[in-house]
Amino acid sequence: MIKRLLIVTYLFMLAVISGQASLYRIYQTSNGLSHNSVWAVIQDSEGFMWFGTNDGLNRFDGVHFKVFRRQSNDTTSIGNNFIHCLLEDASGHILVGTKEGLYCYSRETESFRHISLNGKRVGEDKTSVHSIVQDKQGNIWLGCYGQGIYRLAADYRVLQHYVEPQLPTRFINTLALDLAGNLWAGTDGKGLFCLATGTGKVSKSVITNGTIQSVYCNTDNILWIGTATSGLIRYDHRAGQYKYVESNNPRARNTYNIKAITLFQNNILVMSSESGLLKLDCQTEELKAFDGDGTSYDNLPDWNLFLWCLLLVAQYQYILLLRTP
């Protein structure tokens, strides 16, 4: 199925990225995507691509999009159409974080179950789930905008709810786990903080101000942090040292709104920003732009050495597939 996707992609467009040929195809509403504003993307264990948009959840088999939206008279449909984040958990279930609650997708019935975090039902639950991660112990962590952080068991029971004064703020944009299993939370206006998943202890980082949009932990346990207004930050949390990554590349200067960071190749990270798609060499800390214009909003590596990301071109968001050299 995914091979079919790659063949279709191969036949359509040719772009030159960093001096090497790369192949891609752009998908948008005219191709069956439910909305051009796409905020989340994953590839599940069966090879399907999932896209969370402003107006529905999309499953892509390489040829066709299947769209899941809220149906007012159907209690098994997804409860809200604005999708912030997606995760396939260790049990193979697709968790969907929406503007109003968390949902679990059943492959067998192609239906959704509302996971109540606060005792409220569908329509009453206003929990805005912005980020989902699962630790090695099977705990599921939810970063919520306005509702802090939830820790769930593998069966989705709420084990703990963190808000102020435990947290610096309850407005969480993104979550990431480091190699030691610590949870790092990027916030709206209060910088970055750490939550020890084993003890529940919360500690501030040296980055106590600013809006953090994305966090990525590399194989050397260094955190790379995408901000809203201060560009890219390299943070050695063990040494308590951080620095802003500067670039001599004209198109990588004054980089704002780094919404997503992921591994592209060995020691090479790729990230989305208002300056377009950026590439970072973690060893030399050289930051430069990919060729092409636009702003991408999320990305992840595909099994077949491909990279999916979301690209804003001419003020509209599209899905872009990039092939690694």
Side-chain angles (χ1 to χ4, degrees), residues 265-283:
Q265 297 172 309
N266 292 335
N267 294 311
I268 302 294
L269 299 182
V270 68
M271 61 202 70
S272 59
S273 77
E274 287 189 359
S275 300
L277 196 63
L278 306 178
K279 183 168 65 172
L280 173 77
D281 186 318
C282 294
Q283 293 182 332

Side-chain angles (χ1 to χ4, degrees), residues 22-37:
S22 296
L23 305 166
Y24 68 91
R25 182 180 179 181
I26 294 175
Y27 295 90
Q28 51 185 317
T29 53
S30 60
N31 303 107
L33 186 67
S34 65
H35 197 282
N36 282 340
S37 292

Side-chain angles (χ1 to χ4, degrees), residues 215-290:
V215 180
Y216 180 84
C217 181
N218 207 0
T219 53
D220 55 4
N221 217 17
I222 296 295
L223 298 180
W224 297 92
I225 301 167
T227 72
T229 59
S230 302
L232 180 67
I233 298 175
R234 180 190 187 274
Y235 181 35
D236 185 344
H237 56 92
R238 293 162 296 181
Q241 298 176 346
Y242 74 97
K243 66 177 182 178
Y244 295 93
V245 179
E246 298 181 354
S247 176
N248 295 322
N249 188 298
R251 283 189 47 225
R253 294 176 187 167
N254 303 319
T255 298
Y256 302 112
N257 276 328
I258 299 177
K259 291 281 189 178
I261 306 172
T262 194
L263 184 67
F264 186 54
Q265 297 172 309
N266 292 335
N267 294 311
I268 302 294
L269 299 182
V270 68
M271 61 202 70
S272 59
S273 77
E274 287 189 359
S275 300
L277 196 63
L278 306 178
K279 183 168 65 172
L280 173 77
D281 186 318
C282 294
Q283 293 182 332
T284 64
E285 296 185 13
E286 180 185 15
L287 180 65
K288 59 184 180 180
F290 277 111

Side-chain angles (χ1 to χ4, degrees), residues 278-318:
L278 306 178
K279 183 168 65 172
L280 173 77
D281 186 318
C282 294
Q283 293 182 332
T284 64
E285 296 185 13
E286 180 185 15
L287 180 65
K288 59 184 180 180
F290 277 111
D291 290 342
D293 297 321
T295 305
S296 53
Y297 273 77
D298 202 353
N299 42 48
L300 83 167
D302 188 275
W303 291 342
N304 294 287
L305 297 180
F306 276 70
L307 177 73
W308 280 89
C309 65
L310 310 182
L311 182 69
L312 180 65
V313 181
Q315 305 305 312
Y316 293 95
Q317 292 180 13
Y318 301 93

Side-chain angles (χ1 to χ4, degrees), residues 90-111:
S91 299
H93 299 128
I94 306 295
L95 295 177
V96 186
T98 79
K99 194 174 183 179
E100 295 183 348
L102 178 69
Y103 295 84
C104 180
Y105 170 76
S106 168
R107 286 190 176 92
E108 290 75 17
T109 61
E110 293 199 335
S111 63

Side-chain angles (χ1 to χ4, degrees), residues 80-237:
N80 187 271
N81 291 334
F82 197 116
I83 314 299
H84 283 298
C85 54
L86 298 164
L87 174 76
E88 182 178 21
D89 67 16
S91 299
H93 299 128
I94 306 295
L95 295 177
V96 186
T98 79
K99 194 174 183 179
E100 295 183 348
L102 178 69
Y103 295 84
C104 180
Y105 170 76
S106 168
R107 286 190 176 92
E108 290 75 17
T109 61
E110 293 199 335
S111 63
F112 295 84
R113 174 168 67 93
H114 176 239
I115 300 171
S116 180
L117 305 174
N118 48 23
K120 295 183 178 180
R121 299 178 179 179
V122 176
E124 300 174 348
D125 187 354
K126 304 302 180 183
T127 307
S128 187
V129 182
H130 277 219
S131 186
I132 312 173
V133 298
Q134 187 170 25
D135 64 28
K136 293 180 180 179
Q137 286 69 45
N139 296 298
I140 296 167
W141 298 86
L142 310 177
C144 304
Y145 193 83
Q147 296 85 18
I149 294 176
Y150 284 91
R151 179 169 71 94
L152 276 58
D155 61 1
Y156 314 130
R157 289 177 296 110
V158 175
L159 300 177
Q160 197 156 2
H161 184 201
Y162 297 86
V163 291
E164 300 107 326
Q166 292 170 290
L167 307 183
T169 178
R170 62 177 63 197
F171 292 91
I172 311 299
N173 287 329
T174 187
L175 298 175
L177 292 162
D178 67 20
L179 299 187
N182 297 307
L183 184 73
W184 294 88
T187 73
D188 189 350
K190 294 291 185 178
L192 183 76
F193 67 85
C194 179
L195 191 156
T197 56
T199 64
K201 180 181 177 181
V202 176
S203 56
K204 293 182 179 180
S205 73
V206 296
I207 306 169
T208 57
N209 295 304
T211 295
I212 306 298
Q213 305 277 27
S214 53
V215 180
Y216 180 84
C217 181
N218 207 0
T219 53
D220 55 4
N221 217 17
I222 296 295
L223 298 180
W224 297 92
I225 301 167
T227 72
T229 59
S230 302
L232 180 67
I233 298 175
R234 180 190 187 274
Y235 181 35
D236 185 344
H237 56 92

